[in-house]
Every structure is written in structure tokens, then in C-alpha cells.
Amino acid sequence: MTKTIMLIHGAWLNAKGWENWKARYEAKGFNVVAPDWPHDDGEPAELRANPRKALTKFGPKEIVAHYEREIAKLPEAPILIGHSAGGVFVQHLLDKGLGVAGVAIDPAPTPGIGIPLTAAISALPVLGDPFSGAKVVSMTKKFFAERFANGLPRDMVDEHFNRYIVPTAGKIYWDGVVSGGAGPITWNSKTRAPLLLIGGGLDLIAPASMTKAMYNKQKRAASKTEYKLYADRSHWTCAEPGWEQVADFALDWAAANARAGNVSSIHRAA
């Protein structure tokens, strides 16, 4: 069984957002990698103070290709765990024959899935500006508290925002929602690895109803597909109190259902 895990973050975060998960999985004996998206590496405070214009060149298609290259560097095929847009990228990477198991946590809108009103409202700060596709966009602390991390105790909002939130590219939204993202997904794939989809009952960014809709599509695949709902969790489930429960369930499921494989054989399958 693989001992390698790749953690894939979503918009408004970089690899620092996985620091607790990485440490927890490493303590269990796994080799854990959490690659940044291109040009979003660094300390969040520095990135907020000096947003990088280069981010505007990277949408879902380019970021999925980036993760394909990162997977090719690994000594064995990894378990793929992604959050939000990272959960969408996990689905694309599995669809390409990569990874031995995947977990998509609160996945953002995936090509072929309808967008609930709640998610559309959450996207308005970006999509409400017709020119934001060419911009680097910053999240306000008010939006973070009220919609992104609405499950986080109020006295923890400042600490989490300052420690983890980074600017993101509007291109992620425009390409992901309007332009088809990284392309279609083969819902009835006969080759992709097992997939667990996790939804949050309090999620205002990627509502659980959207995750359930993805599950209903993905379960047409030949391999095992499961759905897990945490009714009392928001989009910030990977960091809000009790995140350990989600992290352990995700890893236990992936380890129990991972298929054997290595990078070279996976690449041949792709």
C-alpha cells in the first residue's frame, strides 16, 4: 500500500493551510507532499501585502497540469486529498488515471454539475466584477468570517485569517465556472481509482447538495465511490475545531480502498 499522500489546496489558500494535516499524517508514518499552486508559495501575510500578478496566468487547466508534473516526481502513486478547488482537481487527476485513491472535501463547482444559489452568491465578490478574470483578488475578513469559515468560533477568526488566507486569481473562478475549467470528467470511468466525496452541512461556498450531486454522477464509475456528510461543518472544515475527525476519516477511507499501483504503471494507464 502506498505510503505517499498528496494534499491539494483550493482558492484563497496555499500549502500552509495543510500544515496540521501534514504533521498528523506524517506522525502516522506517511510521506506527505503539499505542493503550492504556481506562484502562491510563501507566507500568507507577505502574499496579502504583495499579491503576485503572475497568478493571473493560472486557471484550473494549468493547475491540474502542474499537479500532474508534481505526481510524476513521486516514487510511488499517491493518495490524493483535495479541498474546495483542490477537490475538483483531485477528480480531474483521478480521471486521468493518477492516484491510487482520492478524497474530495467540499469540492468547488465541477464541470457538469449545477451551481446552487448559495454557491453563486458566495462567488459574487469575484464574478460580480466582469474584469476580475485578469486580476488577483483578495478576500475580506468579513467574507471569511461570514461565508468561508462560518463554522469557526468568532474568537478564532482573526488568527486563522492572518495565518492562512492568501489572494487568488479571478481566472480560477471564471475558468472554473464559465469556461469549463480543466475540461469534462468521465463520470462512468472504468479505470479511475476509488473516490470519497465529503460535504459540509453548513458550507456556504460549496454546499453539501452540490457535493451530493457530484456523488450521484461519480458513482456511475466502475470503482468504489462513497459520500460522507458532516452536517455541522462549514467550508473551513479542514481547520475548524474537530478537523482531526475529518482528516482521520479521509485517510482511513483512502488507505482502506486504495488500489495498488506505481507511477509508471499509472502513467501507462493514462
Side-chain angles (χ1 to χ4, degrees):
M1 202 276 284
T2 186
K3 297 297 289 183
T4 302
I5 299 170
M6 177 176 282
L7 302 173
I8 303 176
H9 67 80
W12 310 108
L13 296 164
N14 67 5
K16 191 178 184 69
W18 288 118
E19 62 178 351
N20 291 327
W21 286 53
K22 188 172 188 292
R24 191 173 185 84
Y25 289 165
E26 287 175 341
K28 296 175 183 287
F30 286 86
N31 170 39
V32 186
V33 295
D36 286 297
W37 295 0
H39 301 291
D40 74 352
D41 58 297
E43 281 299 315
E46 171 62 22
L47 296 173
R48 290 195 301 273
N50 300 288
R52 293 174 180 163
K53 183 71 174 176
L55 283 170
T56 60
K57 300 183 183 301
F58 292 88
K61 183 178 179 180
E62 293 78 16
I63 295 173
V64 168
H66 165 70
Y67 279 103
E68 287 186 70
R69 294 190 292 272
E70 293 298 314
I71 290 171
K73 298 175 184 176
L74 299 175
E76 60 180 354
I79 291 170
L80 302 173
I81 299 177
H83 171 250
S84 195
V88 178
F89 302 153
V90 164
Q91 294 175 73
H92 281 292
L93 292 167
L94 293 180
D95 200 39
K96 292 174 178 289
L98 301 171
V100 295
V103 180
I105 304 167
D106 303 334
T110 301
I113 299 295
I115 302 175
L117 178 60
T118 299
I121 292 172
S122 294
L124 281 177
V126 179
L127 297 183
D129 174 1
F131 304 106
S132 63
K135 297 178 181 177
V136 180
V137 186
S138 296
M139 179 189 291
T140 67
K141 191 176 293 183
K142 183 174 187 291
F143 183 91
F144 176 72
E146 295 180 353
R147 299 200 70 85
F148 202 86
N150 48 304
L152 187 67
R154 298 302 86 177
D155 62 352
M156 298 176 72
V157 166
D158 284 354
E159 173 193 348
H160 279 230
F161 181 91
N162 293 335
R163 186 169 184 82
Y164 296 118
I165 296 304
V166 303
T168 200
K171 182 177 174 62
I172 293 296
Y173 277 76
W174 284 99
D175 283 10
V177 175
V178 180
S179 302
I185 288 176
T186 305
W187 303 114
N188 62 349
S189 171
K190 298 185 185 307
T191 58
R192 77 149 167 79
L195 171 65
L196 170 66
L197 294 140
I198 294 178
L202 301 180
D203 195 328
L204 301 177
I205 303 294
S209 61
M210 192 166 68
T211 307
K212 187 66 180 294
M214 290 174 205
Y215 165 72
N216 287 332
K217 295 269 193 182
Q218 288 282 16
K219 70 181 181 181
R220 294 162 54 190
S223 58
K224 189 171 187 176
T225 308
E226 288 192 2
Y227 171 71
K228 171 72 172 179
L229 173 66
Y230 286 94
D232 60 345
R233 305 289 180 142
S234 75
H235 199 64
W236 199 235
T237 189
C238 294
E240 67 190 20
W243 62 266
E244 298 92 338
Q245 181 185 2
V246 182
D248 289 352
F249 184 86
L251 179 56
D252 290 348
W253 189 95
N257 293 286
R259 59 174 52 158
N262 56 54
V263 168
S264 59
S265 65
I266 292 294
H267 282 174
R268 283 197 296 273

